[in-house]
Amino acid sequence: MPARNILVINCGSSSIKFALVNEAHSQFPLHGLAECLGSRDAVLRWQRGGEKDSLMLPQGDHRAALAQLLPLVQGASGGTLHGIGHRVVHGGERFTSAQRLTPEVIAAIRAIAPLAPLHNPASLQGIDAALSLFPQLPQVAVFDTAFHQSLPEHAYRYAVPETLYRQHGVRRYGFHGTSHRYVSRRAAEMAGLAVGDSSWLVAHLGNGCSTCAVVDGQSRDTSMGLTPLEGLVMGTRSGDVDPNLHGHLARTLGWSLEEIDRMLNKDSGLLGLSGLSNDMRSLEQARERGHAGATLAIEVFCYRLAKSLAALGCALPQLDGLVFTGGIGENSPLVRSKTVAHLRLLHLALDKEANARCVRGVGGAIHVPGHPRVLVVPTNEERQIALDTLTLLEA
Ligand code: ADP
């Protein structure tokens, strides 16, 4: 049987990230981004075999972008596309694994939308467009939350009145599940351990950041909660703050809920602390020049990350290793070394040269021999979504 092709789609409210994944090749034959959808600057950009190209789509929406993508995908896949995998952020408690898209599954994704008001409606736009443009193809939804549905109740419940959980779904869900699952499996392979018999701490550090405790291939705890704001310091998100901060700001500054939400989601994190940027690369450069805000932002980021990892240690029977992934985790020896320096209690120690070597897609072990494993594992959410899609197509 020839190697199969899956188109992976990740829709935002005004964007679509896409990748054509071929099961036999690690490089994507085609990948790109449609952005500013719905505006006069709407544009489709793609890369195929090292060649970059773009097409303006003035006022184009998700459907218009996918319609333009169709011939590109046909060209890059040699005419045979076997299915489409959609990244969907929130699967609530309903979905513990990827699902073939049926009217019933689509209705459930719609019903869960109040828990992810920015994300699930955007995914549904992409799903509707893809189903009407590719009606003959099997399509699958892969949920960011699904991997964390194995959390025990003591890890997913908040200490708030039970009715909020039972009637309104107020609990911890966790996100980045596709990445945590992919890299914890890769880590087990790299270490020569069985996925089903190994325990990992994972730090996914991109623009959004989260940690996860993975035991025997299952998520047992994670740092994000009801929404992706809980937990670590991120690019523009605060992570954990005192829950009374909302009341305090409302009372003392008269801020509205919308202003507080915006501040915590868009103006905080690395950007808020540094007063400079949400981008770790820029902050590292500014720190080199002695910028106080950038220096502080990196210190807080690493300390809070280490604190989260140490806390998640409670969910592990033993530690087979710590995994760094995501744009920062895969590329910042500085963040890795500062974080590990706070974890001496776990006996972690980094090999300086190995740590420096693992950047730009190079993964590997970076610990000092004789100390617990620390691995850099490049994530590949698109490939995991494609693999999940293929598994369902075979079922
Ligand atoms: P997303 O969550 O949007 O997928 P990424 O996983 O691409 O984001 O991560 C983006 C983050 O990775 C940014 O903060 C960026 O500065 C950081 N990053 C990328 N390359 C480097 C680098 N060489 N050194 C430090 N940080 C880096």
Side-chain angles (χ1 to χ4, degrees):
M1 187 167 60
R4 292 163 298 177
N5 292 300
I6 298 293
L7 176 64
V8 175
I9 296 177
N10 179 0
C11 287
S13 55
S14 63
S15 69
I16 305 175
K17 282 190 202 158
F18 58 88
L20 182 65
V21 182
N22 180 282
E23 62 182 332
H25 298 288
S26 59
Q27 298 289 332
F28 303 142
L30 172 78
H31 64 102
L33 172 71
E35 54 189 345
C36 306
L37 295 175
S39 80
R40 92 194 140 131
D41 300 323
V43 59
L44 177 68
R45 300 180 204 282
W46 67 92
Q47 199 168 335
R48 186 180 165 186
E51 300 272 308
K52 289 186 182 172
D53 214 337
S54 67
L55 178 72
M56 293 306 293
L57 302 167
Q59 307 301 339
D61 58 5
H62 288 72
R63 191 189 153 90
L66 286 177
Q68 291 297 337
L69 194 53
L70 190 62
L72 293 173
V73 169
Q74 271 158 353
S77 65
T80 39
L81 183 62
H82 296 81
I84 299 184
H86 295 263
R87 176 187 178 215
V88 178
V89 166
H90 221 306
E93 287 190 322
R94 167 81 191 271
F95 297 119
T96 57
S97 62
Q99 301 291 318
R100 191 89 173 235
L101 281 169
T102 61
E104 197 201 353
V105 168
I106 292 169
I109 295 171
R110 193 161 282 124
I112 294 161
L115 289 170
L118 296 180
H119 293 104
N120 277 25
S123 300
L124 285 166
Q125 272 182 288
I127 288 170
D128 286 345
L131 284 172
S132 66
L133 286 164
F134 307 89
Q136 74 292 0
L137 279 183
Q139 305 201 26
V140 165
V142 179
F143 302 93
D144 254 26
T145 50
F147 182 54
H148 302 299
Q149 280 297 306
S150 48
L151 257 58
E153 192 166 9
H154 63 252
Y156 72 69
R157 286 288 296 273
Y158 289 114
V160 297
E162 191 188 6
T163 48
L164 287 176
Y165 168 57
R166 299 266 173 236
Q167 291 175 22
H168 303 285
V170 174
R171 53 158 284 178
R172 307 184 63 251
Y173 291 94
F175 300 87
H176 290 146
T178 305
S179 177
H180 287 301
R181 187 153 61 101
Y182 179 81
V183 299
S184 54
R185 276 159 202 233
R186 280 287 300 133
E189 274 169 33
M190 285 160 70
L193 297 173
V195 182
D197 188 20
S198 57
S199 300
W200 304 93
L201 290 174
V202 180
H204 174 104
L205 311 173
N207 283 309
C209 301
S210 69
T211 51
C212 186
V214 184
V215 179
D216 301 344
Q218 294 191 328
S219 173
R220 291 289 166 81
D221 203 354
T222 187
S223 61
M224 285 177 167
L226 174 71
T227 75
L229 184 60
E230 186 176 333
L232 306 179
V233 173
M234 314 183 206
T236 61
R237 287 178 233 160
S238 62
D240 292 341
V241 292
D242 186 327
N244 269 329
L245 182 60
H246 281 76
H248 177 76
L249 294 174
R251 275 190 302 275
T252 57
L253 302 177
W255 285 16
S256 67
L257 267 183
E258 288 69 29
E259 285 172 303
I260 299 169
D261 262 6
R262 189 174 339 112
M263 179 276 291
L264 292 173
N265 283 286
K266 305 268 183 221
D267 305 331
S268 296
L270 294 172
L271 174 65
L273 275 166
S274 67
L276 187 69
S277 171
N278 64 321
D279 189 289
M280 185 57 85
R281 227 169 338 192
S282 309
L283 293 182
E284 290 192 9
Q285 287 157 7
R287 176 180 171 275
E288 287 287 307
R289 299 192 302 270
H291 189 285
T295 307
L296 177 68
I298 293 171
E299 294 300 327
V300 176
F301 181 91
C302 296
Y303 178 68
R304 291 269 298 269
L305 168 60
K307 207 162 122 171
S308 171
L309 290 166
L312 286 195
C314 293
L316 303 185
Q318 86 268 342
L319 178 63
D320 288 311
L322 164 62
V323 180
F324 283 101
T325 193
I328 300 173
E330 293 168 32
N331 290 296
S332 176
L334 178 74
V335 166
R336 296 189 298 240
S337 76
K338 281 190 167 293
T339 304
V340 165
H342 290 303
L343 292 169
R344 280 189 295 267
L345 206 61
L346 297 180
H347 306 292
L348 299 179
L350 289 194
D351 179 295
K352 212 170 161 191
E353 280 173 22
N355 187 29
R357 204 165 45 238
C358 287
V359 289
R360 288 186 287 280
V362 177
I366 59 171
H367 55 281
V368 173
H371 288 258
R373 271 182 211 92
V374 183
L375 304 177
V376 176
V377 182
T379 194
N380 194 333
E381 290 164 275
E382 294 82 2
R383 176 159 291 276
Q384 184 64 58
I385 291 171
L387 293 175
D388 288 351
T389 303
L390 285 169
T391 305
L392 270 184
L393 300 194
E394 283 156 12

